[in-house]
Amino acid sequence: MMMDKLREGAQGKVAKGILGLIILSFALAGVGSYVNSPAKNAVASVNDNEISPQTLENAYRNERARLEAQMGDAFNQLADNPEYIKQLRRSVLDRLIDQALLDAKAHDLGLRIGDEQIKQAITSMPEFQQNGKFDNDRYLQLIRRAGMTPEMFRDSIRQDMIRQQLMGALLGTEFVLSGEASSLDKLYQQSRDVRLVRLPAESYLDQVQVSDEEIKQFYAANQPRFMNDEQVRVDYLLLDAADLAKDIQVTDQDVRDYYDQHQEQFQRNERRRVAHILIPLGKDEKAAEKKAEDDLAALNGGADFAELAKRDSSDTFSAKKGGELDWFEKGVMDPAFEKAAFALAKEGELSGVVKSQFGYHIIKLLGVEPAAVRPFDEVQADTRERLQKDKAREHYFAVQQKLADASFENPDSLDAAAKAVGLKVISSDYFSQATAPAPLNDAKVLSAAFSEMLREENTNSDVIEIGDGKALVLHVMDHKPKAVKVLDEVRELIVTDIKRSKASEVARSKGQELLGKLKSGAEVNQELSALNLKLEEHKGLTRFAQELDQSLVAQIFRMPHPAKQPSVELLTQSNGDQVIVALDKVSQPEKPSQMAELIKGQMGQSKAQADYKAFVDSLRKAAKIEYFAAQEAAVE
């Protein structure tokens, strides 16, 4: 979420639209770690730079959280499918690989982001603001909660902005000609006049019969359709950290003792507040420097700093306040600016003329907050929460180890392990890999539940981590192999399918007879009456018409334009119904509609997506990429 604000600076509408789809930044997930810190048991490597399991896990959890927020219950249904989760995890890993390739390419091209740009990006993030202003304490608190230092966060921001710079340059160059968009818009706005005759298959069901021999033949020819999935029934013990945490108590004395013993964790760095006057470099750098020197001389002669800042400073935001900036600590400002600001000793002291990449500064020290330990009252609530989580985590892992030992030492059932850790054995009904209930619908759990070795040895599984502070041990109690259902079980389904197919053929035969007459332009009212059919007319039918099934509309708009006679076709629907369509007229607007600009933007995005895919594909072809499936499957 934080990085979305940075993307607003990308140049060009197309670039803005596409960047949101193709660059998912994980600033607080430690994305940069896989380039410079090779991990053990890597899930993949890019040109020998490893992507760690932790990097993938953080990115995967962020993506799951995004999808859950976006899709709600629909995502939870999808997440019940182990194959979907496997594909989701692989898509996140592929995205991390693409990011690594983009970062390497940006480095080769020498792309850079200045410190002032990073500062502006950070201070503009709403997450770090209070009452519409950047709050340095809130900034430090949030990034520390994420386990990052200001330097680490700054570097992560820099990496993401460089990636945006590269993609903005690539995607922002695409354009669409007005004629292209106009032509497509006219096709979208096209309308058609049609006449329809529907021949529902169900109307002819009573005219068809199904023999026992046909049923047998259909059953023999379509046995893969009538398979029972492999099923198992298991007992399991579920260990939930959230349940264990309810018994964890943290006293006021615990919090105070931790605070007293870990003072270094509550250290607040020295902060300074300054005012400045900024003279931009412009086209004549010497003139800018002279202007700054003149202002400094005026200040030394007694001129009012605030008035001079309002008059001369190009930093218009601070100039309105007499040049005043908010409190900041080291690691936020431009290096040259920061060095000069922290060199000032007394409030009211002026710096010399300081050059940065943005121009010449004159800095006035307004206040100093020395490094100090944050007061206990200020950190008490956060410290209590941290201790609660730490103690709960320690207790969870201790119980988990006890569960692992007990289930290993007593492998033929879960009773002893349940008694050792105070859990209740839960028994499942029969389930397949596609119908496994939570929490058994995890890929690693399913792998164990359908393991031939566990069945043959009649032993407990290992402790299986299933994420979100949960783990389980299971024992397979029974197994039903994959097998073809008996004929009697599926007879009614087979009869229905055969009768529907035969009725559709009868309807098609009737339709073929009418088709020839319609093509010749002959009247068919008498034939329609005899068959108890009706002629429907739809004038001005558009591609987005709601009165007809969308699949039928799509078929109608694929029909050729009529010439001297109507264009007539017999169309088969997915349910076996037959529809005779006579296309009488095609109308197309002469002028583009209001949708033309939207279409132009969509075409630009499509081209940009194609460019991005081609670019990444070329980087992938030139790179050495390795996937380590075993380690990838172990990621939560």
Side-chain angles (χ1 to χ4, degrees):
M1 182 172 64
M2 291 184 178
M3 304 310 297
D4 291 340
K5 295 298 180 182
L6 297 179
R7 297 191 183 93
E8 293 176 4
Q11 298 299 313
K13 293 182 178 179
V14 172
K16 288 181 180 178
I18 195 65
L19 280 171
L21 298 175
I22 62 175
I23 301 179
L24 289 181
S25 174
F26 304 104
L28 299 182
V31 176
S33 63
Y34 61 77
V35 176
N36 298 316
S37 301
K40 297 178 181 179
N41 302 320
V43 292
S45 70
V46 183
N47 293 327
D48 297 325
N49 291 316
E50 295 181 343
I51 299 177
S52 71
Q54 186 62 45
T55 298
L56 175 58
E57 181 179 345
N58 289 342
Y60 168 66
R61 287 183 177 179
N62 283 355
E63 180 65 359
R64 277 195 64 136
R66 186 186 71 82
L67 291 173
E68 287 172 357
Q70 178 179 318
M71 300 173 63
D73 291 340
F75 175 77
N76 294 330
Q77 294 177 5
L78 289 172
D80 288 340
N81 184 344
E83 191 60 33
Y84 172 80
I85 293 299
K86 180 180 178 181
Q87 293 174 359
L88 175 62
R89 189 162 45 240
R90 173 52 66 93
S91 71
V92 172
L93 178 56
D94 282 334
R95 201 148 50 223
L96 289 175
I97 290 172
D98 291 347
Q99 288 182 334
L101 293 169
L102 292 172
D103 293 342
K105 186 64 176 179
H107 181 269
D108 292 343
L109 294 173
L111 300 183
R112 299 289 184 270
I113 294 293
D115 291 335
E116 185 66 21
Q117 292 172 276
I118 297 173
K119 172 206 163 187
Q120 291 175 356
I122 292 174
T123 55
S124 66
M125 290 179 180
E127 292 83 357
F128 301 146
Q129 295 186 1
Q130 291 276 22
N131 300 321
K133 293 183 179 181
F134 176 74
D135 187 312
N136 198 62
D137 286 339
R138 180 174 176 80
Y139 159 68
L140 294 174
Q141 182 183 37
L142 289 177
I143 65 172
R144 283 170 181 160
R145 279 187 185 178
M148 303 183 79
T149 65
E151 291 76 16
M152 291 167 61
F153 187 69
R154 177 196 63 200
D155 292 343
S156 180
I157 297 292
R158 188 191 305 277
Q159 183 182 42
D160 195 68
M161 292 180 72
I162 289 174
R163 193 180 301 132
Q164 292 175 48
Q165 189 179 52
L166 172 63
M167 296 314 303
L170 173 68
L171 305 178
T173 59
E174 267 300 350
F175 64 92
V176 177
L177 297 175
S178 298
E180 294 179 89
S182 177
S183 297
L184 189 57
D185 175 62
K186 289 180 179 179
L187 287 175
Y188 274 129
Q189 302 307 319
Q190 186 187 101
S191 65
R192 298 191 167 201
D193 295 347
V194 296
R195 289 170 292 148
L196 309 178
V197 177
R198 299 176 186 270
L199 295 91
E202 63 180 16
S203 298
Y204 305 98
L205 288 174
D206 59 353
Q207 299 181 25
V208 299
Q209 299 296 323
V210 180
S211 68
D212 286 342
E213 186 61 28
E214 287 176 314
I215 294 173
K216 292 178 182 178
Q217 290 177 358
F218 190 94
Y219 176 72
N222 295 275
Q223 287 200 354
R225 289 181 53 187
F226 309 124
M227 297 292 289
N228 273 319
D229 291 332
E230 179 184 14
Q231 293 183 314
V232 294
R233 182 170 59 82
V234 303
D235 283 351
Y236 65 97
L237 299 174
L238 178 63
L239 185 63
D240 190 336
D243 291 337
L244 296 177
K246 295 175 183 177
D247 300 326
I248 301 298
Q249 298 295 324
V250 176
T251 67
D252 291 343
Q253 189 60 47
D254 291 335
V255 180
R256 168 57 76 173
D257 289 345
Y258 186 89
Y259 175 80
D260 292 339
Q261 295 166 16
H262 299 83
Q263 294 279 291
E264 72 283 355
Q265 294 185 12
F266 306 102
Q267 188 76 21
R268 179 164 55 201
N269 296 329
E270 179 186 340
R271 301 198 309 168
R272 295 200 165 204
R273 190 165 66 90
V274 302
H276 80 134
I277 298 171
L278 173 61
I279 307 300
L281 297 175
K283 296 181 179 179
D284 190 342
E285 187 171 327
K286 288 185 177 181
E289 183 177 14
K290 185 177 185 307
K291 174 62 176 171
E293 294 284 3
D294 291 344
D295 279 357
L296 179 59
L299 291 169
N300 287 329
D304 183 83
F305 191 98
E307 291 302 320
L308 209 55
K310 291 177 182 178
R311 189 189 74 186
D312 292 346
S313 181
S314 66
D315 182 356
T316 54
F317 182 77
S318 68
K320 294 177 182 178
K321 301 183 292 181
E324 291 186 15
L325 299 174
D326 290 330
W327 289 95
F328 63 91
E329 64 178 43
K330 288 184 178 180
V332 176
M333 295 297 191
D334 175 270
F337 184 97
E338 182 179 283
K339 182 178 179 181
F342 276 83
L344 298 173
K346 298 179 181 179
E347 291 186 16
E349 184 178 353
L350 295 174
S351 71
V353 173
V354 179
K355 183 181 178 182
S356 76
Q357 60 179 314
F358 303 101
Y360 291 98
H361 304 261
I362 303 168
I363 306 170
K364 179 181 180 180
L365 182 61
L366 300 179
V368 177
E369 279 189 359
V373 176
R374 297 170 66 191
F376 176 72
D377 290 344
E378 184 178 319
V379 299
Q380 182 177 6
D382 287 344
T383 304
R384 183 184 299 278
E385 181 181 348
R386 178 192 299 176
L387 288 179
Q388 183 88 19
K389 289 181 179 178
D390 288 348
K391 284 191 173 185
R393 188 182 301 111
E394 290 174 6
H395 184 46
Y396 170 72
F397 286 123
V399 175
Q400 186 183 112
Q401 185 60 51
K402 192 174 182 180
L403 174 61
D405 293 341
S407 62
F408 178 77
E409 293 165 1
N410 304 274
D412 55 349
S413 87
L414 294 174
D415 293 338
K419 186 176 180 181
V421 296
L423 293 175
K424 181 181 178 181
V425 177
I426 305 172
S427 299
S428 77
D429 292 327
Y430 285 98
F431 62 88
S432 68
Q433 295 208 34
T435 62
L440 302 175
N441 55 351
D442 178 88
K444 297 186 293 299
V445 175
L446 291 173
S447 177
F450 288 88
S451 165
E452 185 176 347
M453 183 184 72
L454 288 187
R455 293 198 304 271
E456 290 181 350
E457 297 182 1
N458 189 35
T459 187
N460 296 328
S461 72
D462 294 331
V463 175
I464 305 169
E465 288 276 359
I466 56 177
D468 299 325
K470 294 180 182 179
L472 63 78
V473 174
L474 64 83
H475 193 101
V476 179
M477 304 304 292
D478 198 10
H479 172 254
K480 291 182 180 180
K482 189 173 184 178
V484 179
K485 296 177 182 178
V486 297
L487 177 57
D488 286 345
E489 189 177 348
V490 295
R491 178 182 292 273
E492 289 187 10
L493 177 63
I494 292 173
V495 170
T496 299
D497 280 0
I498 295 175
K499 290 187 73 173
R500 168 67 68 172
S501 178
K502 283 187 171 185
S504 180
E505 287 301 318
V506 173
R508 187 163 187 82
S509 175
K510 302 287 186 183
Q512 292 285 7
E513 295 175 10
L514 292 170
L515 191 66
K517 293 186 177 181
L518 283 171
K519 284 185 175 180
S520 66
E523 288 291 334
V524 293
N525 290 336
Q526 186 174 350
E527 287 81 355
L528 293 177
S529 180
L531 294 171
N532 198 28
L533 300 175
K534 295 181 180 179
L535 184 68
E536 300 177 25
E537 289 194 35
H538 297 270
K539 293 188 178 294
L541 186 74
T542 69
R543 295 178 186 272
F544 314 105
Q546 299 297 313
E547 65 265 30
L548 298 178
D549 182 80
Q550 282 301 301
S551 62
L552 177 58
V553 172
Q555 289 176 299
I556 290 172
F557 275 85
R558 284 196 290 267
M559 291 175 62
H561 290 211
K564 294 181 179 179
Q565 295 292 336
S567 180
V568 184
E569 290 187 11
L570 179 60
L571 305 178
T572 302
Q573 305 302 286
S574 59
N575 62 355
D577 292 353
Q578 304 295 318
V579 182
I580 302 172
V581 179
L583 174 57
D584 297 318
K585 181 181 178 183
V586 174
S587 301
Q588 189 163 288
E590 295 183 4
K591 296 181 179 180
S593 72
Q594 295 179 347
M595 285 184 61
E597 282 302 312
L598 176 61
I599 292 172
K600 188 174 181 179
Q602 291 174 338
M603 291 177 70
Q605 289 193 4
S606 297
K607 289 186 176 184
Q609 284 178 324
D611 287 349
Y612 171 77
K613 185 177 185 304
F615 180 57
V616 172
D617 286 347
S618 69
L619 294 179
R620 280 179 168 263
K621 287 179 181 178
K624 177 186 175 184
I625 299 173
E626 293 182 276
Y627 293 88
F628 306 119
Q631 289 84 349
E632 180 187 349
V635 173
E636 297 298 340

